[in-house]
Amino acid sequence: RHRHRHRHRRRHRHRHRQSGGKKIRTKMRLWGVALVLILVFVPANADREIITLDCKAQLHFMSGTPVAVSMGFKDLDNLFNHLVAKFKDRLACACGEAMDPDEFLRKYHPLPALLNLFGNTQTKATETCNTKYSMLHEDIINFSKDVNEWLSTGMTNGILPCAYTDFSTTGCAFKFAAKSTAKVDMDLAVAMKMCPDSNMPFISVVAQGSFADSVFKPCSKTGNTQCSASSKCKDILELDSESASRRDV
């Protein structure tokens, strides 16, 4: 009886190992199929993130490349919100009442204030509390008019295709396209929006084009086959030695 039980246990263990091996092989096949599908359906000239500040106060740099870096700034987010709250209290003391949220954005929040000056709608300069220093100062408004006229792009008012109201509602996205004569095939796209329950913005800058596809990728051992037409492979150590030689001159 003892020998019979021992043989039965060995058979059971052998079957368990075989079934476990089949499960592992099946999983590996599924992962292999998924990887092939990913490689097949990844579009050419995909967006390449340069830098993104998300609504969790995480800063991401060059995601998806060998030099990718992510850092958390939650304490900075808390500090910024605290400073904004205290600044609004001071403004309420100076104005006799709390400043209208829309007016505060146009005067003191960096991104909406810039969009108000350089966006595609007429600059809204009305204010209920005339504070001495703000982005609605007469000199700053006149300067923005000169810049918009100098860099005229056919927009209704400014050089950016968004209104300041977009920042806190639908969000704002636009692209700086490379000229046809540019040596580097790369456009820059920007997206920004106010984060919920925070004064910090979501902002992302991505690169588009064949150069963005190959930047920071490892060089092929057989030559520049992985480079775009507007780039070439360079050894990072070689670049560092070149910059060092320039500094020594």
Side-chain angles (χ1 to χ4, degrees), residues 31-129:
W31 276 111
V33 171
L35 180 60
V36 169
L37 289 174
I38 290 170
L39 291 175
V40 169
F41 290 104
V42 168
N45 297 340
D47 292 352
R48 172 69 65 195
E49 175 192 84
I50 297 177
I51 191 168
T52 295
L53 177 64
D54 65 25
C55 287
K56 295 181 180 179
Q58 297 284 325
L59 185 68
H60 310 282
F61 176 74
M62 297 300 296
S63 296
T65 71
V67 295
V69 176
S70 292
M71 296 173 284
F73 292 96
K74 190 59 183 174
D75 290 339
L76 180 62
D77 180 41
N78 293 334
L79 176 62
F80 184 72
N81 287 323
H82 175 74
L83 292 176
V84 169
K86 292 299 181 182
F87 185 54
K88 286 182 176 180
D89 290 342
R90 293 294 182 92
L91 288 173
C93 290
C95 299
E97 60 180 352
M99 181 172 286
D100 177 70
D102 181 82
E103 184 177 343
F104 179 81
L105 289 178
R106 291 182 288 111
K107 280 186 168 184
Y108 297 111
H109 197 294
L111 294 178
L114 287 173
L115 288 174
N116 184 43
L117 294 171
F118 299 102
N120 64 349
T121 56
Q122 189 68 34
T123 300
K124 187 175 180 181
T126 56
E127 50 184 335
T128 57
C129 179

Side-chain angles (χ1 to χ4, degrees), residues 163-211:
Y164 80 92
T165 51
D166 295 334
F167 179 73
S168 54
T169 54
T170 59
C172 174
F174 50 89
K175 180 166 70 173
F176 298 101
K179 294 182 179 180
S180 58
T181 56
K183 293 182 179 180
V184 176
D185 175 27
M186 187 176 72
D187 302 334
L188 287 178
V190 181
M192 60 180 80
K193 188 177 182 181
M194 179 77 84
C195 290
D197 305 320
S198 176
N199 293 288
M200 291 287 285
F202 168 89
I203 184 166
S204 180
V205 181
V206 300
Q208 300 172 332
S210 61
F211 180 77

Side-chain angles (χ1 to χ4, degrees), residues 126-176:
T126 56
E127 50 184 335
T128 57
C129 179
N130 187 7
T131 49
K132 188 174 181 181
Y133 300 105
S134 76
M135 293 292 281
L136 293 181
H137 191 280
E138 183 180 4
D139 292 341
I140 296 178
I141 292 177
N142 290 334
F143 172 76
S144 69
K145 289 179 179 178
D146 292 339
V147 172
N148 288 328
E149 184 177 351
W150 178 48
L151 298 175
S152 177
T153 56
M155 296 294 162
T156 304
N157 179 61
I159 58 177
L160 300 177
C162 297
Y164 80 92
T165 51
D166 295 334
F167 179 73
S168 54
T169 54
T170 59
C172 174
F174 50 89
K175 180 166 70 173
F176 298 101

